[in-house]
Structures are given as structure tokens and as C-alpha cells.
Amino acid sequence: MNSLSPPSGVAQPQSSTSSATRGLHVITWGCQMNVYDSERMSDVLRPLGYRAVGTPDDADMIILNTCHIRDRAAEKVFSELGRLRKVKEARAERGEGTVLAVAGCVAQAEGGEILARAPYVDIVLGPQTYHRLPEMVARAARAAGAVIETDFPVEQKFDFLPADREAPVGGAAFLTIQEGCDKFCSFCVVPYTRGAESSRPAQAVIAEARRLVAAGVREITLLGQNVNAYHGDGPDARTWGLTRLARVLADEVGIERIRYTTSHPRDMEDDLIAAHRDLPQLMPFLHLPVQSGSDRVLAAMNRGHTADEYRALVGRLRDARPDLALSSDFIVGHPGETDADFADTMRLINDIGFAQAYSFKYSSRPGTPAAGAAMHVAEDVKDARLQELQAVLRVQQDAFNDATVGVTAPVLFTGHGRKPGQVSGKSPWLQAVNVDGPDSLIGRIANVDIRHRYTNSLGGVLTEETDRA
Ligand code: SF4
């Protein structure tokens, strides 16, 4: 931690005994891990009196939780900070102080640069340090200077989370069990911004899961950058893998639906594949990124497996759970990718058949090995490849969704639909499903006859004997 220029117009935090409330506005970019981190930052600030407000104009504290995966991530952060500076100045003219904090992976990677270019920022904190946020707010309020905290401390931030996490609405919650990554894929900043792989102790995960279930949660998505590399300390002094943890969460904690993301093919062990056969609580949807179908590119990416090994892995998963739907990430135009490499990727997509996918053009991340690689692919070539790939993935997604029309599926209703009188939920295969139904269904699981496939959702009707709540 170090102190730079003094913060301007910093709001004074309330003491933990104060009943006064202050506005908190968190802007979250990026992955589900960031969504989870934003929720936890709100949790640790609650004892200081901070409560969520819908707009930065009403916020005594604004947190911008950033993502380094985004294209030109740092520039987008500075552009957003320019907007927030105006909000802060307008509030100052009204005599209202504002703490402005930047969190997440861009904060981790570019902390010093942020304070140099945006001195009106009061706090910069990396993903490992948000449990220290109350202390940082207090330091900023004492006008001790802008606070920057981007170490990778020895202690786990998990250990410092408040137990009274706000109850999620809608019966579904995320739960981070693992952070960081040691895989060092050529294109990725995560090992540099989130640090080495570390796993939360099983007992702490179980305790948080019990609280979530008591608060009405039916489905938990276990999160980690490399979630299936989970290796947490167990209460029996042994190391637990993801399979053992999932079995306890299902059988002893009583979670009805379990998902986990994001997985690496190299960490897909036999016991986890078997769990997809034996554990009905494991939902039949798996995000298992392959990135490319070319062995040459996979090697250049340092992915540690071949395209055929991925095909064989998917075959074993589908043997274990025949209705398993798969999703993946794809990067087109990695440095050195030829037409033949891209054709290999298209062949793999056609061989597997994906229910969903996220696809991107390769773009350099400063400090990663691929950024300095030779043979960068021309933008127009990347554009053309991405379009071709996305067209095929769209056809596959539509075909998968078409195949669920006519099926009766249990849907967990998580919120309102777009149209009045509608509720919206998730199928076991992570499809959005909308039906006409009462608000009382939110947070409950009910059977739905799937009748229609739309561009990004399904429509259906509730069956008669639906409610399993
Ligand atoms: S395994 Fe995932 S998080 Fe780790 S370096 Fe590769 S892409 Fe990044």
C-alpha cells in the first residue's frame, strides 16, 4: 500500500455503529467472478452504512470494477473515469463528497497509471484485497492520500468475507471457490492480475452454501478462473477436489442445482466426469473452453492439450451424461493462425456441436507472451474468420434450442420476463425461458412445456402439477 496525492471531496464513512446510510453505486464489467466480487464489496461496506443506489449521481461512493479481458480495457476505464469525474465534481458543487474507487483486474495491472492519469480517484484496489475496502475508505477519508492496494497478500480474501451476505433474489447465486490461474495461456492476463491458483477451504464454502440455502437459494454456480482445478483444504485434513465438494453440497447441504464455471479441459478428471453421471444435482450444461481446433495454435496458446484430446474428453462426458450441453470460448486470429488452422477450428466445431459459445478476435494484452509474438493476423482476415465461425455457432445454438421445443423441463424462475405478467427463468441447459405466470414463482422451480424458440430465449407454458417448491 502507498499514498499518493490527496483525495478530493472524499465522503466521510460512517462508523460501524452509525445507523445513517450512504449511497453506493458499483459498476461491474466482465465475468461472473467480477459480479461476485462486486456483491462482496457491497457486503463488506454495509456495516459502514453503504447501501446500493441506482445511479452514480446519488452515490457517496462509486466503485468501478474493471475487467482486463475487454479490448482496449485500460482506455475504456479512463474514458469511464472521465465521466465519473464529472459526476464527482457536480456532487462537490452541491456540497456532497464522493469516494471514487477502481477495482478489478485493470486496477491490478495499471494501478500506478490510474492514479497518475486520474488523480481524482481515491482508491485503487486489486481483486485480492477488497476485504480491506473499509480500512481503505477510512484512510481515504482521513485525507491521508489516495490509497492503492494491489498486493497479492498471503491471507485469502475469502477468509474475511462477512457472514451476513445479502440474500440473493431469484433462487440462484454465485459462490467463488477458487481464484487465479497457473496455466499461463499465451493470450491471457489472468495469471498476472489474479495471481496463482488458490482454493477456498471446503468448510468455508459449505458454510456459505448453507447460508444461501437457508436464504432460499436453489441453484449455486461455483466460480473460479480454473474452477475444476479446485483443491481446497477439507475438514478431514485432506485436500478436496471439486467432485468431493460438489457431492457434499448436493447430498449434505441440499443444493438442488449445481453448476461450475470456468473449467479447463486439462483438469477434467475421471471422478468429475463420473459425477456428471451420478449426481443429478449437477446440471447438464458445461462451459469447457477449447479456444481453437488447431493443434499448432493450441500449442502456441500453451493450452496443454490437442484437438483430438478435447474431442475424446467430450465423448467421455457425453457417455456419462448423454444430454450434456456444451459451451466454449473461441479466439480467432491468434498470432500465427493460418487458413488451415482456422479450418481445423471449424472442423472441431462441426464435430462437437455447441449449445452456446463466446467468440472473439484475438487482441493483444500487454505483458502476455502472445502480444510479443510474430505473425499477427490482419484485422480483415480476423473479421472474416470470426463472421464465418459465429454463423456456424449460431446455427448450432438454434438447432440445440429447437431440439428442446416439445420438451417438458424444470425451470428455476429467477425474475420477471420482458413482458408484463411474465416470469423468466433458466432451464437445466442454461437457456432463458419465459412463461406467463405469477411473481410468486420467482425463486421456485416449476415444470414448463417448451413451445417456442426465439432468438435468445424459449417460450413455454407451465404444466399443471408444476410446483416443486
Ligand atoms: S486457463 Fe483460463 S484463466 Fe488460465 S491462463 Fe488460460 S485462459 Fe487464462
Side-chain angles (χ1 to χ4, degrees):
M1 185 186 294
N2 55 46
S3 296
L4 300 179
S5 58
S8 54
V10 169
Q12 298 294 315
Q14 302 300 304
S15 75
S16 58
T17 54
S18 171
S19 59
T21 61
R22 304 194 142 248
L24 172 67
H25 187 74
V26 185
I27 300 164
T28 307
W29 290 346
C31 64
Q32 287 157 330
M33 298 280 292
N34 269 16
V35 173
Y36 180 89
D37 281 358
S38 289
E39 289 173 3
R40 300 294 74 73
M41 283 190 273
S42 303
D43 288 342
V44 298
L45 288 170
R46 219 173 325 125
L48 296 188
Y50 286 100
R51 298 289 182 272
V53 292
T55 153
D57 303 303
D58 298 332
D60 301 283
M61 178 160 185
I62 303 168
I63 302 175
L64 177 59
N65 193 6
T66 61
C67 171
H68 212 299
I69 304 292
R70 292 164 61 116
D71 201 12
R72 304 198 329 276
E75 284 318 304
K76 285 174 179 156
V77 168
F78 286 114
S79 156
E80 181 70 2
L81 285 176
R83 185 180 78 87
L84 295 175
R85 175 189 199 167
K86 291 194 182 112
V87 172
K88 184 169 173 168
E89 286 171 350
R91 284 177 52 85
E93 279 169 22
R94 300 198 298 267
E96 297 167 328
T98 314
V99 179
L100 180 55
V102 183
C105 290
V106 176
Q108 180 68 43
E110 324 256 356
E113 173 85 0
I114 289 170
L115 289 183
R117 280 180 62 182
Y120 46 89
V121 169
D122 303 301
I123 295 172
V124 175
L125 68 159
Q128 302 303 320
T129 60
Y130 65 68
H131 57 284
R132 295 185 183 163
L133 196 46
E135 171 202 331
M136 290 181 235
V137 172
R139 281 167 53 92
R142 286 198 302 269
V147 176
I148 178 165
E149 173 104 35
T150 51
D151 300 340
F152 286 112
V154 176
E155 78 271 21
Q156 294 298 305
K157 71 179 183 187
F158 301 131
D159 299 343
F160 296 88
L161 299 180
D164 63 333
R165 177 176 170 184
E166 214 157 59
V169 179
F174 295 122
L175 203 169
T176 292
I177 64 167
Q178 181 275 340
E179 271 217 69
C181 182
D182 300 333
K183 299 281 193 297
F184 291 94
C185 296
S186 64
F187 51 84
C188 181
V189 293
V190 164
Y192 311 99
T193 58
R194 295 265 177 170
E197 276 179 16
S198 67
S199 297
R200 192 174 180 186
Q203 200 60 49
V205 174
I206 292 166
E208 186 168 349
R210 284 194 202 285
R211 287 194 291 271
L212 290 169
V213 168
V217 165
R218 322 289 289 266
E219 174 180 305
I220 290 183
T221 302
L222 304 173
L223 294 180
Q225 267 97 22
N226 235 217
V227 73
N228 57 339
Y230 176 81
H231 56 284
D233 294 337
D236 54 2
R238 292 170 183 263
T239 300
W240 286 22
L242 179 59
T243 307
R244 181 146 187 209
L245 182 68
R247 285 184 187 278
V248 168
L249 294 177
D251 296 338
E252 295 178 24
V253 179
I255 299 167
E256 292 169 71
R257 294 176 163 213
I258 299 173
R259 304 180 189 274
Y260 59 94
T261 197
T262 294
S263 296
H264 195 294
R266 268 164 62 193
D267 293 314
M268 213 67 216
E269 305 283 352
D270 291 348
D271 61 343
L272 189 53
I273 295 171
H276 278 278
R277 181 189 60 225
D278 303 334
L279 202 61
Q281 292 90 342
L282 264 190
M283 289 291 95
F285 180 91
L286 181 61
H287 183 62
L288 189 65
V290 64
Q291 308 293 0
S292 169
S294 155
D295 288 347
R296 237 175 47 79
V297 174
L298 286 168
M301 287 176 164
N302 194 32
R303 293 288 294 173
H305 63 83
T306 65
D308 277 349
E309 284 166 351
Y310 185 86
R311 287 183 179 90
L313 176 58
V314 169
R316 291 168 58 218
L317 280 160
R318 284 178 167 158
D319 285 346
R321 181 84 200 228
D323 68 339
L324 186 76
L326 281 154
S327 148
S328 176
D329 298 332
F330 291 96
I331 293 175
V332 300
H334 185 274
E337 184 189 77
T338 63
D339 286 345
D341 293 321
F342 178 66
D344 284 346
T345 299
M346 297 302 288
R347 199 160 24 252
L348 179 124
I349 290 172
N350 283 315
D351 288 348
I352 301 288
F354 289 95
Q356 269 187 33
Y358 303 90
S359 48
F360 312 90
K361 285 188 293 181
Y362 170 79
S363 67
S364 289
R365 299 287 178 268
T368 57
M375 297 172 63
H376 278 265
V377 176
E379 276 309 301
D380 59 334
V381 174
K382 284 195 251 180
D383 283 335
R385 288 179 187 165
L386 186 65
Q387 272 189 26
E388 186 180 340
L389 177 133
Q390 288 183 336
V392 171
L393 289 169
R394 182 81 237 177
V395 168
Q396 291 191 347
Q397 181 174 330
D398 289 349
F400 178 78
N401 289 337
D402 282 339
T404 44
V405 173
V407 167
T408 299
V411 171
L412 171 62
F413 287 98
T414 52
H416 294 106
R418 283 230 187 112
K419 295 184 187 156
Q422 273 193 340
V423 284
S424 178
K426 291 188 284 182
S427 79
W429 306 282
L430 210 58
Q431 298 148 301
V433 181
N434 294 302
V435 300
D436 289 334
D439 286 2
S440 58
L441 275 174
I442 294 171
R444 296 159 82 172
I445 297 172
N447 282 329
V448 173
D449 283 341
I450 309 287
R451 299 271 176 90
H452 309 283
R453 191 267 292 171
Y454 305 108
T455 307
N456 291 311
S457 65
L458 301 170
V461 293
L462 295 161
T463 62
E464 305 227 356
E465 67 306 352
T466 89
D467 198 354
R468 299 170 37 185

